[in-house]
């Protein structure tokens, strides 16, 4: 994200850091370890989502910032985890395929 946050947007982020914790605890159901990620890792990804929410939020809309931010943070974390799971699945499939091919060549 190349765009810089204004002072007002930075204040929104500072005032709503608890949204990240709410998302992790209520939507992601963080145990000590999710997909090899610790709570702090998920929090950092959530912080990126909160900055996105602050940069895109329009105050003229009806929704409060915290409501809007909750959904943006949740989607940011879930999208990241989906991508992580996809990369992990592809890695495992390639590994299994290579083992099958090498087994067939030995036979």
């Amino acid at each position: 994200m190349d765009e810089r946050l204004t002072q007002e947007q930075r204040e929104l982020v500072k005032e709503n850091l608890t949204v990240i914790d709410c998302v992790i605890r209520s939507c992601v159901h963080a145990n000590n370890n999710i997909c090899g990620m610790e709570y702090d890792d998920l929090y950092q990804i959530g912080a990126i989502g909160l900055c996105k929410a602050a940069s895109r939020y329009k105050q003229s809309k009806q929704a409060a910032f915290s409501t809007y931010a909750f959904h943006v943070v949740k989607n940011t974390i879930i999208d990241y985890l989906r991508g992580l799971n996809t990369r992990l699945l592809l890695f495992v499939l390639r590994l299994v395929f290579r083992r099958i091919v090498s087994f067939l060549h030995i036979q």
Side-chain angles (χ1 to χ4, degrees):
M1 187 163 73
D2 288 341
E3 52 191 83
R4 305 268 183 213
L5 296 178
T6 65
Q7 184 62 34
E8 183 179 330
Q9 292 168 334
R10 280 188 235 126
E11 288 299 320
L12 279 174
V13 169
K14 286 179 189 175
E15 293 169 2
N16 290 279
L17 287 171
T18 56
V19 169
I20 301 168
D21 183 64
C22 290
V23 169
I24 293 171
R25 295 197 184 280
S26 66
C27 296
V28 183
H29 302 292
N31 295 322
N32 290 336
N33 194 330
I34 296 178
C35 300
M37 299 187 70
E38 298 289 329
Y39 175 88
D40 291 342
D41 299 324
L42 294 171
Y43 194 91
Q44 287 180 356
I45 296 162
I48 292 169
L50 188 59
C51 289
K52 283 181 191 176
S55 70
R56 296 177 184 163
Y57 181 67
K58 305 288 186 237
Q59 288 185 338
S60 62
K61 301 290 182 187
Q62 295 287 331
F65 176 74
S66 58
T67 303
Y68 175 72
F70 184 91
H71 294 287
V72 174
V73 169
K74 179 178 92 170
N75 290 336
T76 301
I77 292 173
I78 290 172
D79 287 347
Y80 183 83
L81 291 174
R82 280 185 187 139
L84 183 66
N85 285 338
T86 301
R87 290 187 297 273
L88 179 62
L89 178 62
L90 288 173
F91 173 77
V92 170
L93 288 174
R94 285 184 190 124
L95 184 63
V96 168
F97 181 73
R98 286 180 188 149
R99 287 191 180 182
I100 290 171
V101 168
S102 67
F103 177 75
L104 292 175
H105 286 300
I106 293 173
Q107 298 293 327

